[in-house]
Amino acid sequence: MASEQVLKAADYATEVHNDWCPGCGDFGILRTIQMALAEMQLDPSNVAIVSGIGCSAKTIHYVKAYGIHTLHGRVLPFATGIKLANPNLEVICLGGDGDGLGIGAGHFVNSGRRDVNMLYMIFDNGVYGLTKGQASPTLRLGVKTKSLPAPNLNEAVNPLWLALASGATWVARGYSYDIKGLVSLIRQGIEHKGYAFLDVLQPCPTYNNLNTKDWYGGEDLKDDKGRAMPRVYNLASTGYNPVVQAPEDLDGKITQAVSRAMEWGDRIPLGVFYKNELVPTFEERLTTRIPNYMKRPPALQPIADSEGRPLADLTRLLDALAVN
Ligand code: SF4
Ligand code: MG
């Protein structure tokens, strides 16, 4: 792609047939990813989008960039390997709530601890959409969607709490129909120095008949003039400041984030809950051990000479393993 070419959102679209259900919130998220990439003018050949398994995971086929469709719950270890092999790539991880907080929960926690410089987005609809709408880890106790034979017997995980408790240094929530807000959050998540977690509320009209577009839009909550009162609101509009500016801010910023992440029901906050760039990233920690890591990361090191002979010298390794 010519370097002077200005890329538009449509330039990040592919021709691959899309098989999401009509009205799925995933369409809005796909559009916002393409818009954010265009806003940042990111070179598609420098972007790797990694997904797990689920409806959301198909997104990588619809965005013109490197796409890696991995295993159920394994998006984060794949993405960590890609980013650490070539830290110059922009790495975006995508997956569903079932994928990331069910089978992938261990990776979710350990990615927070590492603080690798990448963005992880969960498309959060409360169900396992791809497999006919079973209750996912974010569906609340006692809730019965149309896809369940009986109310959910499990308590829900709060993804924002779990991300905060695991050490994620940027924690935010978006909504698939808040296009402008979501583009801004995706951009901020990519630009954040460290591991950024973005929970995106996403109606699944096929299996979740409770958390619908109308429900988020507050069509059932009318003011005295009969107007809908949207449940979702922007944290920033209330003067909320998520940024840790000094180590002594930490307790207060975590506490306020936990408190606001608890809000649910008639009022659902969107935006950045927590941001802390004082924590060294995993790449910075690695550099203290391997000083030229960022200059010569594994993916940029030559592995063969001009004749195709491997350059790796295993002599020391073989010597160490030799049995005398
Ligand atoms: Fe979207 Fe739900 Fe259909 Fe999956 S099952 S494509 S999440 S509407
Ligand atoms: Mg889901």
Side-chain angles (χ1 to χ4, degrees):
M1 204 162 288
S3 58
E4 67 277 6
Q5 182 183 351
V6 176
L7 298 172
K8 300 186 282 301
D11 294 321
Y12 294 90
T14 67
E15 303 289 314
V16 176
H17 170 74
N18 187 306
D19 60 1
W20 287 328
C21 311
C24 178
D26 287 355
F27 287 103
I29 307 177
L30 169 63
R31 180 76 180 147
T32 54
I33 292 170
Q34 293 162 339
M35 289 169 74
L37 296 179
E39 203 177 279
M40 299 175 75
Q41 287 296 291
L42 291 180
D43 180 346
S45 68
N46 201 44
V47 176
I49 307 186
V50 192
S51 70
I53 297 292
C55 298
S56 55
K58 298 177 185 175
T59 307
I60 60 138
H61 301 284
Y62 311 142
V63 181
K64 195 177 284 177
Y66 285 112
I68 305 96
H69 200 155
T70 70
L71 306 173
H72 199 206
R74 305 294 177 244
V75 57
L76 288 169
F78 268 90
T80 298
I82 292 165
K83 182 70 183 183
L84 295 184
N86 186 358
N88 301 311
L89 286 177
E90 293 295 352
V91 175
I92 302 171
C93 321
L94 308 175
D97 38 336
D99 181 70
L101 297 162
I103 189 171
H107 299 304
F108 187 101
V109 169
N110 286 294
S111 295
R113 295 173 54 225
R114 289 198 186 95
D115 201 30
V116 173
N117 190 8
M118 60 188 187
L119 169 65
Y120 179 31
M121 297 171 63
I122 277 189
F123 295 27
D124 187 353
N125 55 19
V127 292
Y128 286 87
L130 191 69
T131 51
K132 306 273 183 253
Q134 298 88 345
S136 88
T138 57
L139 194 71
R140 284 167 163 68
L141 175 66
V143 164
K144 185 188 167 320
T145 58
K146 66 180 175 183
S147 57
L148 297 179
N152 183 22
L153 281 172
N154 292 306
E155 188 51 270
V157 166
N158 183 316
L160 304 178
W161 279 10
L162 191 61
L164 289 164
S166 304
T169 51
W170 186 90
V171 176
R173 185 198 275 139
Y175 173 50
S176 60
Y177 286 100
D178 173 21
I179 298 296
K180 197 167 157 220
L182 192 49
V183 171
S184 167
L185 288 173
I186 293 169
R187 180 171 187 162
Q188 290 179 65
I190 293 172
E191 289 174 343
H192 173 68
K193 182 182 83 71
Y195 176 61
F197 171 65
L198 175 55
D199 185 40
V200 187
L201 303 174
Q202 171 248 314
C204 166
T206 302
Y207 295 114
N208 187 337
N209 56 320
L210 303 175
N211 307 122
T212 60
K213 185 181 177 196
D214 282 354
W215 184 81
Y216 284 116
E219 293 293 335
D220 57 323
L221 302 174
K222 302 282 190 199
D223 66 11
D224 50 13
K225 293 201 171 69
R227 293 173 300 204
M229 294 198 295
R231 286 182 161 81
V232 287
Y233 75 92
N234 193 334
L235 270 180
S237 69
T238 66
Y240 184 92
N241 177 0
V243 183
V244 176
Q245 258 138 3
E248 55 271 24
D249 294 347
L250 195 62
D251 284 359
K253 295 295 181 181
I254 289 270
T255 304
Q256 71 166 3
V258 166
S259 167
R260 297 304 279 266
M262 213 156 92
E263 282 183 41
W264 188 262
D266 291 351
R267 298 274 289 162
I268 301 174
L270 305 178
V272 182
F273 287 68
Y274 179 74
K275 176 180 170 75
N276 182 0
E277 290 187 326
L278 303 181
V279 177
T281 64
F282 196 77
E283 294 89 320
E284 289 170 338
R285 295 173 212 171
L286 268 183
T287 304
T288 64
R289 202 168 291 179
I290 310 169
N292 65 351
Y293 163 67
M294 290 299 285
K295 283 200 197 109
R296 296 189 75 232
L300 301 186
Q301 291 185 24
I303 57 171
D305 65 16
S306 57
E307 307 290 316
R309 287 182 294 257
L311 293 174
D313 180 3
L314 300 179
T315 316
R316 277 173 52 210
L317 175 66
L318 294 175
D319 285 348
L321 294 173
V323 179
N324 296 311

